[in-house]
Amino acid sequence: MSYRTPVAEISFALRHVARLDAAIASGAHGDLTLEDADAILHEAGRVADAVIAPLNPIGDRQGARLEDGAVTTSPGWPDAYRTWIEGGWNGLSAEPEYGGQGLPLLLNAACSEMWNAGSISFALCPLLTAGGIEALTKHGSEDLKERYLEKLVSGEWTATMNLTEPQAGSDLSLLRSRAEPAGDGSYRIVGSKIYITYGEHDMADNIVHLVLARLKDAPAGTRGISLFLVPKILPDGNHNDLRCSGLEHKLGIHGSPTCSMAFGDNGGATGWLIGEENRGLACMFTMMNSARLNVGLQGVGVAERSYQQALTYARDRRQGKAAGSSDPVSPIVEHPDVQRMLLTMKAYTAAARGICYLTAEALDAARGPEGKQANDRASLLTPVAKAFSTDIANEVTSLGVQVHGGMGFVEETGAAQHMRDARILAIYEGTNGIQAIDLVARKLPLNGGATVRAQLASMRRVAEAVQKDATPAFGHLGPRLRAGIESLDRATSFLLKALASNRPEEAQAGATPYLRLFGLAQGATCLALAALASNAALKTGETDPAHGARIALARFFAENLLTAAGGLEQSVVDGGGFTQDGMLALTG
């Protein structure tokens, strides 16, 4: 089934959930108009549908290949990539100084969702490049910016993130790659990295590797890590001392080459320092935070595509008699349990979309007068955007297989590919368990808890607006939303108290259910905002059936999914006892 970008829903979420209307009206985005934004979205949707989406099954069946040190991507991918960069999509939100268009990150986030719905494997390449552009823009020397940014922004060259090593995994303090000054301002890099997305490929003339390594006599642990720019092709046109030493054989994302990289077989790869010596992790986190939001958008994209495919199948597949139907054999979409699965898929996807767009909006606002306050809000929302969106991607794509029944378990329909592709999203760019710990241990205490309290207050204002509107179509949306927010509030208070009382084990034990609770409450709030805007439109006489559908979806989420909030609260508050006897239970 071909993917069709839901441009109308994306545009509605941008305007009424992430407040793009208000930002444009305030002049925060310069000369950008709503008409401009809609034109960009429609063209991006066209490219996603016609250029990228058809590549997805090809990439799955005919993945990247490594021969004689060179990686060949799937048939059609280099041509599609050239078409994509010729459209200027790679530099949508990059600085105009380096050839970018300077458009809002929020608009770029919407487009990123589209590319990932078209094909996660394809979109991974520009995802890493975008992070490299951000890290180099913020931390690179003027010489490095002048030499590399324009080509990266245009997409002529791509970037990678080289963190992981075989012995280190998520623990970067164990890195062994080393760097030595060469005496001419450059460094020689020696070491091995694994899981390097697009570490080698045939879609660009040069690949700019951002590599973490240690200098001699650097402090132990993460305090002694530096970041280096190590290009595949050196400024003099020679090939650098680096190579792809292997390709991983993976469960999914077969079209994306996941490389092992060897640096310095012949004395050392030439690289240049980004930022200060022994401060590389701070520079890399700039890249990682950008990537985490984009991974959340990957979750939204693959969930949307899985939902669309399942809905089409359910409309076509006829089996059994639906309750109340006069037709002896009904389309399975008419059966209540299939409707429940499809509504769950659609509701989770829309909720995750709202959270990701709110995060992008906060990042945009951080560039303006709101500054630090907005940046702190973005910091709070980023782990939720990454983890909640990718958790639901796994759940939604699994439901997509279930809706297809036995046909979902075979590769013929393509439903299984979405499930296989989605599985990595909860693992890379920081596992979702790490995201949960980051949320609880680092983000909740921001400004003494004031940042999370402000976010809770914004959720309450939406719940109050729903209660005030009180249209019958809302059903139990108002009280369920309020109850979910109060569960989140009590769980937040418990965790902040545990942290203040030096009980980190209790906080970490409750971190994963807390992040899920946060995602449910924030996601329900996003859907409620859409429902409020749709109800207001209906009151003015608009007849678009999408308005009623948004109200029904928000109600379904509140009455069927947000009801888990109370149990999650109990898991946060009362479930941490396993840290005391958990090992006994595991080994007894």
Side-chain angles (χ1 to χ4, degrees):
M1 174 214 141
S2 58
Y3 164 73
R4 289 292 177 267
T5 301
V7 174
E9 286 307 305
I10 288 172
S11 177
F12 197 89
L14 289 176
R15 295 178 61 185
H16 300 291
V17 176
R19 301 183 291 274
L20 180 61
D21 279 17
I24 288 177
S26 72
H29 299 315
D31 296 332
L32 181 70
T33 66
L34 287 173
E35 291 75 19
D36 293 335
D38 273 341
I40 291 168
L41 292 175
H42 278 89
E43 179 60 16
R46 186 194 67 78
V47 173
D49 296 349
V51 178
I52 300 177
L55 301 176
N56 203 44
I58 298 170
D60 188 53
R61 294 191 298 264
Q62 303 178 54
R65 304 183 311 279
L66 174 64
E67 296 178 5
D68 299 325
V71 171
T72 303
T73 54
S74 303
W77 285 46
D79 289 341
Y81 182 73
R82 281 192 291 272
T83 297
W84 187 79
I85 63 171
E86 286 168 4
W89 297 110
N90 199 65
L92 202 66
S93 60
E95 295 292 337
E97 179 182 357
Y98 301 107
Q101 299 177 50
L103 290 168
L105 289 169
L106 178 56
L107 197 56
N108 191 61
C111 293
S112 180
E113 177 193 329
M114 298 181 196
W115 316 139
N116 282 289
S119 171
I120 286 178
S121 291
F122 181 87
L124 270 166
C125 186
L127 185 158
L128 272 298
T129 302
I133 290 169
E134 188 170 359
L136 192 55
T137 300
K138 291 188 177 179
H139 304 289
S141 67
E142 291 304 315
D143 177 62
L144 288 179
K145 291 178 185 179
E146 183 177 344
R147 198 184 310 167
Y148 289 98
L149 271 179
E150 188 173 337
K151 295 286 191 180
L152 289 172
V153 167
S154 71
E156 292 177 66
W157 295 351
T158 64
T160 71
M161 183 190 305
N162 284 249
L163 289 79
T164 310
E165 297 180 4
Q167 79 289 344
S170 297
D171 189 354
L172 296 179
S173 66
L174 301 177
L175 292 183
R176 295 175 183 165
S177 294
R178 64 184 190 275
E180 294 184 6
D184 60 358
S186 67
Y187 294 76
R188 297 295 175 265
I189 315 298
V190 177
S192 299
K193 300 287 183 177
I194 60 172
Y195 303 151
I196 310 307
T197 300
Y198 280 88
E200 169 62 24
H201 61 84
D202 58 353
M203 289 163 40
D205 296 332
N206 200 359
I207 302 170
V208 180
H209 299 284
L210 300 192
V211 183
L212 289 180
R214 291 185 183 281
L215 292 161
K216 185 179 180 181
D217 299 326
T222 57
R223 294 183 300 112
I225 297 174
S226 300
L227 180 64
F228 300 89
L229 184 152
V230 187
K232 173 183 174 180
I233 305 299
L234 292 165
D236 62 8
N238 289 319
H239 197 291
N240 208 347
D241 185 12
L242 58 87
R243 62 184 173 88
C244 173
S245 56
L247 280 185
E248 301 295 343
H249 300 280
K250 302 166 294 187
L251 176 67
I253 57 168
H254 297 153
S256 169
T258 304
C259 304
S260 301
M261 298 298 299
F263 296 88
D265 287 347
N266 299 299
T270 300
W272 289 269
L273 183 69
I274 295 178
E276 301 175 18
E277 291 186 352
N278 304 325
R279 299 278 296 167
L281 204 55
C283 300
M284 186 62 89
F285 268 119
T286 298
M287 191 175 187
M288 290 174 67
N289 283 333
S290 170
R292 285 172 176 173
L293 171 57
N294 280 307
V295 171
L297 290 161
Q298 289 188 304
V300 177
V302 72
E304 174 65 38
R305 185 158 186 174
S306 178
Y307 162 70
Q308 287 191 23
Q309 183 165 334
L311 178 62
T312 298
Y313 182 84
R315 286 170 170 165
D316 293 340
R317 172 68 169 166
R318 303 178 73 86
Q319 182 174 319
K321 179 180 178 181
S325 174
S326 58
D327 193 335
V329 182
S330 305
I332 64 172
V333 73
E334 295 181 8
H335 292 277
D337 192 58
V338 175
Q339 290 181 7
R340 176 193 60 80
M341 289 190 286
L342 290 167
L343 283 166
T344 298
M345 296 172 77
K346 185 174 184 178
Y348 272 146
T349 302
R353 175 182 292 128
I355 293 171
C356 287
Y357 289 4
L358 281 182
T359 307
E361 179 275 330
L363 289 168
D364 280 328
R367 298 174 172 179
E370 198 178 350
K372 183 180 183 302
Q373 184 178 359
N375 190 66
D376 288 344
R377 183 168 76 250
S379 295
L380 174 71
L381 290 173
T382 293
V384 183
K386 193 278 183 183
F388 180 77
S389 300
T390 56
D391 278 343
I392 68 94
N394 279 286
E395 295 169 33
V396 166
T397 54
S398 179
L399 283 171
V401 171
Q402 190 73 19
V403 170
H404 282 77
M407 290 302 295
F409 195 68
V410 297
E411 296 292 348
E412 179 183 338
T413 61
Q417 181 192 347
H418 305 318
M419 185 176 174
R420 289 186 286 101
D421 285 351
R423 191 60 191 89
I424 186 60
L425 303 181
I427 298 172
Y428 63 21
E429 296 306 333
T431 66
N432 285 1
I434 289 174
Q435 302 303 314
I437 293 170
D438 177 51
L439 173 64
V440 167
R442 298 186 180 90
K443 305 306 171 54
L444 291 193
L446 281 172
N447 302 308
T451 300
V452 69
R453 293 296 181 198
Q455 196 64 23
L456 282 162
S458 72
M459 294 185 205
R460 284 197 180 92
R461 288 192 291 273
V462 176
E464 290 166 2
V466 171
Q467 289 287 90
K468 184 177 180 181
D469 205 318
T471 179
F474 283 176
H476 297 292
L477 172 59
R480 293 289 186 273
L481 180 57
R482 188 175 66 249
I485 294 168
E486 294 310 315
S487 283
L488 178 61
D489 188 7
R490 289 189 292 269
T492 300
S493 295
F494 171 83
L495 291 173
L496 285 171
K497 184 176 180 180
L499 292 170
S501 302
N502 197 27
R503 303 197 309 273
E505 70 286 349
E506 285 189 33
Q508 291 195 20
T512 290
Y514 178 79
L515 188 146
R516 181 67 172 209
L517 173 56
F518 200 125
L520 287 175
Q522 186 66 73
T525 304
C526 291
L527 296 186
L529 282 167
L532 286 166
S534 283
N535 196 49
L538 290 172
K539 288 179 179 178
T540 67
E542 289 190 25
T543 58
D544 185 350
H547 292 314
R550 295 182 191 107
I551 293 170
L553 195 68
R555 176 178 178 176
F556 173 85
F557 191 100
E559 295 177 351
N560 292 272
L561 303 176
L562 186 56
T563 49
L568 289 165
E569 177 196 346
Q570 290 179 23
S571 294
V572 173
V573 175
D574 300 325
F578 75 81
T579 60
Q580 299 172 15
D581 54 13
M583 289 306 298
L584 175 63
L586 291 171
T587 59

